[in-house]
């Protein structure tokens, strides 16, 4: 049981680092940035569920369910904003989105 737990934790860390690197190295594409955030949230969910099973407690699974709900809402709202922005400005470049601060 411990060996499987360690492998799942290593997989979770690899997924989380992949998401962080996706955000750090991708400064142009908004959709890829949103996908990297989703990968990070899935890594956290994997970590919570594995810890919950290992500790024989269901609290981690409940938190994972809440995170899935928040991630779905974040994706829907983020893509809706992105579609609206793309219709108005005909681009989804992050460089142009930063101009909205003014």
């Amino acid at each position: 049981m411990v060996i499987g737990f360690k492998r799942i934790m290593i997989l979770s860390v690899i997924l989380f680092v992949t998401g962080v690197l996706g955000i750090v190295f991708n400064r142009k594409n908004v959709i890829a940035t949103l996908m990297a955030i989703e990968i990070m949230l899935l890594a956290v969910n994997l970590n919570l569920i594995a810890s919950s099973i290992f500790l024989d407690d269901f609290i981690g699974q409940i938190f994972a369910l809440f995170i899935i709900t928040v991630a779905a809402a974040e994706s829907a709202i983020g893509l809706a904003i992105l579609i609206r922005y793309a219709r108005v400005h005909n681009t989804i470049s992050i460089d142009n989105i930063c101009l909205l601060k003014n």
Side-chain angles (χ1 to χ4, degrees):
M1 182 72 179
V2 176
I3 295 173
F5 179 71
K6 287 181 182 178
R7 288 181 181 170
I8 291 174
M9 288 298 136
I10 290 171
L11 178 63
S12 177
V13 168
I14 290 170
L15 284 173
F16 193 82
V17 169
T18 303
V20 170
L21 291 176
I23 291 174
V24 169
F25 290 129
N26 184 17
R27 295 290 183 176
K28 300 291 180 188
N29 193 350
V30 179
I31 295 174
T33 304
L34 287 174
M35 289 172 48
I37 292 170
E38 291 298 321
I39 289 174
M40 290 171 60
L41 289 172
L42 288 175
V44 170
N45 278 342
L46 182 63
N47 191 354
L48 283 171
I49 292 172
S51 299
S52 175
I53 291 171
F54 180 72
L55 297 173
D56 197 25
D57 191 14
F58 64 93
I59 301 298
Q61 295 174 14
I62 292 172
F63 279 125
L65 185 64
F66 287 139
I67 290 174
I68 290 171
T69 306
V70 170
E74 176 253 336
S75 294
I77 292 172
L79 288 175
I81 291 171
L82 189 64
I83 289 170
R84 181 66 182 156
Y85 183 82
R87 285 183 182 173
V88 172
H89 296 286
N90 294 326
T91 184
I92 57 171
S93 176
I94 292 179
D95 295 332
N96 296 336
I97 292 175
C98 290
L99 296 175
L100 293 175
K101 293 179 184 176
N102 295 336

